[in-house]
Amino acid sequence: MSAARRVDDRTVGEAVPLPVGLATGVGSLPHLDPDDAVELVLRHHPRLPFAPSLPARSARESMLGQAADGVVGIGVLDDGSLEVDAGLLDPEAPLADPGFTSDAWGGLRAFISALSERDGPIKLQLTGPVTFGIALTMAGVSAELAFRVAGAAVRSRAQALLELLSARLPEAEPIVVIDEPGLIGLHDPAYPVTPGVAVDLVSGTLAALEVGAITGIHCCGRADWGLVIATGTQLLSAPLGVGLEDAGGTLAGFLERGGWVAWGAVPTGGPVGESPDLLWRRLSGAWCDLVGEGCDPVRLRTQAIITPTCGLATHGPTQAEQVLELSAELARRTGQQAVGVRLSVGA
Protein backbone atom coordinates (compact mmCIF):
# COMPACT_ATOMS: atom_id res chain seq x y z
CA MET A 1 0.00 0.00 0.00
CA SER A 2 1.37 3.39 -0.90
CA ALA A 3 1.33 6.27 1.53
CA ALA A 4 -1.27 8.05 -0.57
CA ARG A 5 -3.50 6.99 -3.43
CA ARG A 6 -4.69 9.11 -6.33
CA VAL A 7 -8.37 10.04 -6.39
CA ASP A 8 -9.42 12.20 -9.35
CA ASP A 9 -5.93 13.77 -9.37
CA ARG A 10 -6.12 14.47 -5.63
CA THR A 11 -3.93 12.79 -3.08
CA VAL A 12 -5.92 10.94 -0.44
CA GLY A 13 -4.51 11.46 3.02
CA GLU A 14 -2.72 14.69 2.01
CA ALA A 15 -4.89 16.96 -0.14
CA VAL A 16 -8.11 15.35 1.11
CA PRO A 17 -7.52 14.51 4.78
CA LEU A 18 -10.39 13.26 6.88
CA PRO A 19 -11.31 15.30 9.95
CA VAL A 20 -10.34 14.12 13.41
CA GLY A 21 -13.03 12.70 15.71
CA LEU A 22 -15.35 11.08 13.18
CA ALA A 23 -18.06 8.54 13.92
CA THR A 24 -20.09 6.52 11.45
CA GLY A 25 -22.05 3.28 11.12
CA VAL A 26 -21.20 -0.15 9.75
CA GLY A 27 -24.12 -0.47 7.36
CA SER A 28 -27.44 -1.99 8.31
CA LEU A 29 -30.26 -0.41 10.32
CA PRO A 30 -33.58 -1.92 11.46
CA HIS A 31 -35.90 0.62 9.83
CA LEU A 32 -38.67 -0.16 7.38
CA ASP A 33 -38.82 3.39 5.99
CA PRO A 34 -35.63 4.44 4.15
CA ASP A 35 -36.24 8.12 4.88
CA ASP A 36 -36.49 7.43 8.62
CA ALA A 37 -33.20 5.53 8.50
CA VAL A 38 -31.41 8.32 6.67
CA GLU A 39 -32.80 10.93 9.06
CA LEU A 40 -31.35 8.98 11.99
CA VAL A 41 -27.96 8.75 10.29
CA LEU A 42 -27.81 12.46 9.51
CA ARG A 43 -28.92 13.42 13.01
CA HIS A 44 -26.22 11.43 14.79
CA HIS A 45 -23.38 11.22 12.25
CA PRO A 46 -23.62 14.39 10.15
CA ARG A 47 -19.84 14.64 9.70
CA LEU A 48 -19.53 11.14 8.18
CA PRO A 49 -23.00 9.87 7.27
CA PHE A 50 -23.32 6.29 6.07
CA ALA A 51 -25.66 4.79 3.52
CA PRO A 52 -27.93 2.38 5.43
CA SER A 53 -28.97 -1.02 4.19
CA LEU A 54 -32.39 -2.12 5.40
CA PRO A 55 -32.80 -5.92 5.31
CA ALA A 56 -35.85 -5.73 7.59
CA ARG A 57 -37.57 -3.71 4.86
CA SER A 58 -36.58 -6.20 2.17
CA ALA A 59 -34.50 -9.37 2.45
CA ARG A 60 -33.02 -8.41 -0.92
CA GLU A 61 -31.28 -5.58 0.91
CA SER A 62 -29.16 -8.05 2.91
CA MET A 63 -25.45 -8.46 2.24
CA LEU A 64 -25.88 -11.41 -0.10
CA GLY A 65 -29.06 -10.01 -1.62
CA GLN A 66 -27.19 -6.87 -2.66
CA ALA A 67 -24.16 -8.83 -3.87
CA ALA A 68 -26.33 -11.06 -6.07
CA ASP A 69 -28.56 -8.30 -7.41
CA GLY A 70 -28.49 -8.27 -11.20
CA VAL A 71 -26.04 -11.19 -11.53
CA VAL A 72 -27.16 -13.43 -14.40
CA GLY A 73 -27.92 -16.93 -13.15
CA ILE A 74 -28.71 -15.91 -9.56
CA GLY A 75 -32.12 -15.13 -8.12
CA VAL A 76 -32.74 -13.65 -4.69
CA LEU A 77 -35.75 -15.21 -3.00
CA ASP A 78 -38.16 -13.43 -0.68
CA ASP A 79 -36.31 -14.72 2.38
CA GLY A 80 -32.97 -13.42 1.07
CA SER A 81 -31.57 -16.83 0.11
CA LEU A 82 -29.95 -17.34 -3.27
CA GLU A 83 -31.30 -19.50 -6.07
CA VAL A 84 -28.39 -20.33 -8.38
CA ASP A 85 -28.37 -21.81 -11.87
CA ALA A 86 -24.67 -22.59 -12.32
CA GLY A 87 -25.20 -23.22 -16.03
CA LEU A 88 -26.11 -19.57 -16.55
CA LEU A 89 -23.26 -18.07 -14.54
CA ASP A 90 -20.87 -16.09 -16.69
CA PRO A 91 -18.11 -13.85 -15.29
CA GLU A 92 -18.24 -11.79 -18.47
CA ALA A 93 -21.98 -11.08 -18.30
CA PRO A 94 -22.86 -7.48 -17.36
CA LEU A 95 -25.02 -6.74 -14.35
CA ALA A 96 -28.72 -6.67 -15.17
CA ASP A 97 -29.25 -3.75 -12.75
CA PRO A 98 -26.23 -1.42 -12.86
CA GLY A 99 -28.33 1.57 -11.85
CA PHE A 100 -29.28 0.48 -8.29
CA THR A 101 -32.98 0.59 -9.18
CA SER A 102 -34.08 -2.70 -7.59
CA ASP A 103 -35.51 -3.40 -4.15
CA ALA A 104 -31.99 -4.22 -2.93
CA TRP A 105 -30.97 -0.57 -2.75
CA GLY A 106 -33.81 1.35 -1.07
CA GLY A 107 -31.58 2.72 1.68
CA LEU A 108 -28.88 3.80 -0.76
CA ARG A 109 -31.34 5.66 -2.98
CA ALA A 110 -32.85 7.52 -0.01
CA PHE A 111 -29.36 8.38 1.23
CA ILE A 112 -28.28 9.83 -2.09
CA SER A 113 -31.50 11.82 -2.47
CA ALA A 114 -31.10 13.33 0.99
CA LEU A 115 -27.47 14.37 0.41
CA SER A 116 -27.81 15.97 -3.01
CA GLU A 117 -25.80 19.04 -1.92
CA ARG A 118 -23.18 17.14 0.08
CA ASP A 119 -19.60 18.40 -0.23
CA GLY A 120 -17.94 16.41 2.58
CA PRO A 121 -17.08 12.77 3.29
CA ILE A 122 -19.70 10.03 3.08
CA LYS A 123 -19.43 6.30 3.73
CA LEU A 124 -20.87 3.48 1.66
CA GLN A 125 -20.50 -0.29 1.88
CA LEU A 126 -20.49 -3.18 -0.58
CA THR A 127 -20.34 -6.92 0.03
CA GLY A 128 -16.87 -8.21 -0.83
CA PRO A 129 -15.95 -10.77 -3.49
CA VAL A 130 -14.53 -13.36 -1.07
CA THR A 131 -17.70 -13.39 1.02
CA PHE A 132 -19.90 -13.53 -2.08
CA GLY A 133 -17.77 -16.27 -3.63
CA ILE A 134 -18.00 -18.39 -0.49
CA ALA A 135 -21.79 -18.07 -0.57
CA LEU A 136 -21.82 -19.30 -4.17
CA THR A 137 -19.70 -22.33 -3.29
CA MET A 138 -22.14 -23.12 -0.49
CA ALA A 139 -24.91 -23.02 -3.11
CA GLY A 140 -23.11 -25.73 -5.08
CA VAL A 141 -21.03 -23.71 -7.55
CA SER A 142 -17.48 -24.88 -8.17
CA ALA A 143 -14.91 -22.73 -6.38
CA GLU A 144 -13.16 -21.72 -9.60
CA LEU A 145 -16.37 -20.42 -11.19
CA ALA A 146 -17.79 -19.01 -7.96
CA PHE A 147 -14.88 -16.70 -7.27
CA ARG A 148 -14.53 -15.61 -10.89
CA VAL A 149 -18.20 -14.63 -10.93
CA ALA A 150 -18.01 -12.97 -7.53
CA GLY A 151 -14.90 -10.98 -8.38
CA ALA A 152 -16.32 -9.72 -11.66
CA ALA A 153 -19.74 -8.90 -10.17
CA VAL A 154 -18.36 -6.93 -7.23
CA ARG A 155 -15.93 -4.99 -9.43
CA SER A 156 -18.78 -4.11 -11.79
CA ARG A 157 -20.94 -3.03 -8.85
CA ALA A 158 -18.11 -0.91 -7.49
CA GLN A 159 -17.67 0.84 -10.84
CA ALA A 160 -21.41 1.39 -11.11
CA LEU A 161 -21.48 2.90 -7.62
CA LEU A 162 -18.75 5.38 -8.51
CA GLU A 163 -20.66 6.37 -11.64
CA LEU A 164 -23.82 6.90 -9.60
CA LEU A 165 -22.02 9.01 -7.01
CA SER A 166 -20.27 11.07 -9.68
CA ALA A 167 -23.62 11.84 -11.30
CA ARG A 168 -25.67 12.44 -8.15
CA LEU A 169 -23.16 13.58 -5.49
CA PRO A 170 -20.32 15.10 -7.50
CA GLU A 171 -18.93 17.17 -4.60
CA ALA A 172 -18.99 14.42 -1.97
CA GLU A 173 -15.85 12.61 -0.79
CA PRO A 174 -16.84 8.92 -0.81
CA ILE A 175 -15.33 6.28 1.42
CA VAL A 176 -16.37 2.86 0.13
CA VAL A 177 -15.84 -0.05 2.52
CA ILE A 178 -15.86 -3.65 1.33
CA ASP A 179 -17.59 -5.91 3.86
CA GLU A 180 -15.52 -9.10 4.02
CA PRO A 181 -16.35 -11.51 6.85
CA GLY A 182 -15.07 -14.14 4.41
CA LEU A 183 -11.50 -13.12 5.25
CA ILE A 184 -11.75 -14.62 8.73
CA GLY A 185 -10.83 -18.25 7.95
CA LEU A 186 -8.30 -17.91 5.15
CA HIS A 187 -5.64 -20.16 6.67
CA ASP A 188 -8.00 -23.11 7.16
CA PRO A 189 -6.87 -25.84 4.68
CA ALA A 190 -10.52 -26.65 3.98
CA TYR A 191 -11.31 -23.09 2.92
CA PRO A 192 -12.58 -22.83 -0.67
CA VAL A 193 -10.12 -20.06 -1.59
CA THR A 194 -6.41 -19.63 -0.93
CA PRO A 195 -5.06 -16.54 0.85
CA GLY A 196 -3.32 -15.39 -2.32
CA VAL A 197 -6.45 -15.63 -4.44
CA ALA A 198 -8.47 -13.88 -1.74
CA VAL A 199 -6.02 -10.97 -1.58
CA ASP A 200 -6.10 -10.66 -5.38
CA LEU A 201 -9.91 -10.65 -5.43
CA VAL A 202 -10.17 -7.90 -2.83
CA SER A 203 -7.31 -5.93 -4.39
CA GLY A 204 -9.13 -5.97 -7.71
CA THR A 205 -12.22 -4.50 -6.11
CA LEU A 206 -10.23 -1.81 -4.30
CA ALA A 207 -8.43 -0.93 -7.54
CA ALA A 208 -11.79 -0.40 -9.22
CA LEU A 209 -12.85 1.90 -6.37
CA GLU A 210 -9.70 3.91 -5.78
CA VAL A 211 -10.17 5.96 -8.94
CA GLY A 212 -13.01 7.78 -7.18
CA ALA A 213 -13.06 6.90 -3.49
CA ILE A 214 -11.10 6.27 -0.35
CA THR A 215 -11.19 2.50 0.11
CA GLY A 216 -11.75 0.37 3.19
CA ILE A 217 -12.29 -3.20 4.36
CA HIS A 218 -14.58 -4.26 7.20
CA CYS A 219 -13.95 -7.64 8.78
CA CYS A 220 -15.99 -8.55 11.85
CA GLY A 221 -13.78 -11.36 13.18
CA ARG A 222 -10.18 -12.46 13.68
CA ALA A 223 -8.25 -12.20 10.46
CA ASP A 224 -4.65 -12.12 9.29
CA TRP A 225 -4.36 -8.34 9.39
CA GLY A 226 -1.11 -8.38 7.46
CA LEU A 227 -2.94 -10.06 4.57
CA VAL A 228 -5.84 -7.62 4.86
CA ILE A 229 -3.44 -4.68 4.68
CA ALA A 230 -1.70 -6.33 1.71
CA THR A 231 -4.86 -5.79 -0.35
CA GLY A 232 -3.99 -2.09 -0.54
CA THR A 233 -6.84 -0.83 1.62
CA GLN A 234 -6.61 2.66 3.07
CA LEU A 235 -8.95 1.97 5.98
CA LEU A 236 -9.35 -1.01 8.29
CA SER A 237 -12.71 -1.49 10.01
CA ALA A 238 -13.00 -4.06 12.79
CA PRO A 239 -14.54 -4.56 16.22
CA LEU A 240 -12.41 -4.28 19.30
CA GLY A 241 -11.58 -7.75 20.55
CA VAL A 242 -10.95 -9.54 17.25
CA GLY A 243 -7.18 -9.17 17.24
CA LEU A 244 -6.53 -5.87 15.52
CA GLU A 245 -5.50 -4.36 18.85
CA ASP A 246 -2.95 -7.20 19.20
CA ALA A 247 -1.31 -6.54 15.81
CA GLY A 248 0.82 -3.63 16.97
CA GLY A 249 3.76 -4.06 14.61
CA THR A 250 1.55 -4.55 11.56
CA LEU A 251 -0.72 -1.68 12.52
CA ALA A 252 2.16 0.71 13.25
CA GLY A 253 3.39 0.50 9.66
CA PHE A 254 -0.12 0.88 8.29
CA LEU A 255 -0.67 4.07 10.31
CA GLU A 256 2.72 5.47 9.33
CA ARG A 257 1.75 5.07 5.67
CA GLY A 258 -1.39 7.12 6.26
CA GLY A 259 -3.88 4.33 6.90
CA TRP A 260 -7.00 4.90 8.99
CA VAL A 261 -8.75 2.54 11.42
CA ALA A 262 -12.49 2.43 12.09
CA TRP A 263 -12.66 1.03 15.61
CA GLY A 264 -15.82 -0.94 16.37
CA ALA A 265 -15.95 0.31 19.94
CA VAL A 266 -19.70 0.12 20.68
CA PRO A 267 -20.99 -3.46 21.03
CA THR A 268 -24.00 -4.55 19.01
CA GLY A 269 -24.33 -8.04 20.50
CA GLY A 270 -26.15 -7.11 23.69
CA PRO A 271 -27.03 -4.29 26.07
CA VAL A 272 -24.54 -1.41 26.07
CA GLY A 273 -25.95 0.81 28.82
CA GLU A 274 -26.35 4.55 28.63
CA SER A 275 -22.88 5.66 29.76
CA PRO A 276 -19.93 5.70 27.36
CA ASP A 277 -17.36 5.60 30.19
CA LEU A 278 -16.68 1.85 30.18
CA LEU A 279 -16.51 1.79 26.39
CA TRP A 280 -14.10 4.71 26.43
CA ARG A 281 -11.83 3.04 28.98
CA ARG A 282 -11.74 -0.12 26.87
CA LEU A 283 -10.82 1.80 23.70
CA SER A 284 -8.23 3.94 25.47
CA GLY A 285 -6.72 0.83 27.02
CA ALA A 286 -6.35 -0.80 23.61
CA TRP A 287 -4.62 2.30 22.27
CA CYS A 288 -2.25 2.42 25.25
CA ASP A 289 -1.30 -1.23 24.64
CA LEU A 290 -0.67 -0.49 20.96
CA VAL A 291 1.61 2.43 21.85
CA GLY A 292 3.62 -0.07 23.88
CA GLU A 293 3.94 -2.19 20.74
CA GLY A 294 5.26 0.67 18.62
CA CYS A 295 2.20 2.52 17.33
CA ASP A 296 2.34 6.29 17.22
CA PRO A 297 -0.02 7.70 19.91
CA VAL A 298 -0.95 10.69 17.77
CA ARG A 299 -1.74 8.66 14.66
CA LEU A 300 -3.81 6.17 16.65
CA ARG A 301 -6.18 8.98 17.59
CA THR A 302 -6.00 11.34 14.62
CA GLN A 303 -6.45 8.49 12.11
CA ALA A 304 -9.32 6.88 14.00
CA ILE A 305 -13.03 6.62 13.22
CA ILE A 306 -15.49 5.28 15.80
CA THR A 307 -18.23 2.81 14.81
CA PRO A 308 -20.47 0.14 16.27
CA THR A 309 -18.96 -3.33 16.14
CA CYS A 310 -21.34 -4.47 13.37
CA GLY A 311 -24.59 -3.58 11.68
CA LEU A 312 -27.80 -2.88 13.57
CA ALA A 313 -30.44 -4.65 11.49
CA THR A 314 -31.43 -7.01 14.31
CA HIS A 315 -31.91 -4.22 16.86
CA GLY A 316 -34.95 -2.06 17.43
CA PRO A 317 -34.87 1.56 16.24
CA THR A 318 -34.47 2.84 19.82
CA GLN A 319 -31.53 0.52 20.46
CA ALA A 320 -29.95 1.50 17.15
CA GLU A 321 -30.24 5.17 18.04
CA GLN A 322 -28.58 4.57 21.39
CA VAL A 323 -25.64 2.80 19.71
CA LEU A 324 -25.19 5.67 17.27
CA GLU A 325 -25.33 8.18 20.14
CA LEU A 326 -22.61 6.31 22.01
CA SER A 327 -20.47 6.13 18.87
CA ALA A 328 -20.79 9.89 18.42
CA GLU A 329 -19.78 10.52 22.04
CA LEU A 330 -16.71 8.30 21.79
CA ALA A 331 -15.74 10.12 18.59
CA ARG A 332 -16.07 13.46 20.38
CA ARG A 333 -13.75 12.22 23.12
CA THR A 334 -11.34 10.88 20.51
CA GLY A 335 -11.15 14.31 18.91
CA GLN A 336 -10.50 15.96 22.25
CA GLN A 337 -7.82 13.45 23.20
CA ALA A 338 -6.17 13.76 19.80
CA VAL A 339 -5.67 17.46 20.39
CA GLY A 340 -4.29 16.78 23.86
CA VAL A 341 -1.87 14.11 22.66
CA ARG A 342 -0.64 16.35 19.86
CA LEU A 343 0.10 19.09 22.34
CA SER A 344 1.81 16.74 24.79
CA VAL A 345 4.22 15.39 22.16
CA GLY A 346 4.70 18.70 20.39
CA ALA A 347 3.08 17.55 17.15
Side-chain angles (χ1 to χ4, degrees), residues 27-49:
S28 64
L29 288 176
H31 297 70
L32 301 178
D33 186 320
D35 292 331
D36 288 345
V38 173
E39 188 277 331
L40 178 70
V41 168
L42 293 177
R43 180 154 40 90
H44 290 291
H45 296 325
R47 299 176 66 217
L48 184 53

Side-chain angles (χ1 to χ4, degrees), residues 65-81:
Q66 289 184 334
D69 182 52
V71 179
V72 175
I74 305 177
V76 183
L77 303 180
D78 289 342
D79 64 358
S81 61

Side-chain angles (χ1 to χ4, degrees), residues 269-337:
V272 295
E274 297 182 359
S275 172
D277 293 344
L278 179 61
L279 303 177
W280 177 246
R281 287 196 295 271
R282 183 172 178 237
L283 178 60
S284 297
W287 285 343
C288 288
D289 291 343
L290 284 167
V291 170
E293 295 181 26
C295 289
D296 184 295
V298 175
R299 290 184 179 276
L300 274 170
R301 293 159 176 83
T302 59
Q303 292 163 218
I305 298 170
I306 306 301
T307 73
T309 55
C310 277
L312 293 161
T314 60
H315 292 59
T318 300
Q319 294 172 306
E321 180 158 17
Q322 184 181 17
V323 169
L324 297 190
E325 288 176 350
L326 288 169
S327 299
E329 173 57 23
L330 294 184
R332 186 188 66 80
R333 295 187 185 192
T334 297
Q336 290 179 334
Q337 194 176 84

Side-chain angles (χ1 to χ4, degrees), residues 1 21 27 93 97 124 154 156 196 268:
M1 171 181 162
D97 174 34
L124 307 102
V154 177
S156 294
T268 57

Side-chain angles (χ1 to χ4, degrees), residues 120-135:
I122 58 174
K123 176 183 173 287
L124 307 102
Q125 199 152 310
L126 293 174
T127 305
V130 176
T131 299
F132 185 27
I134 291 170

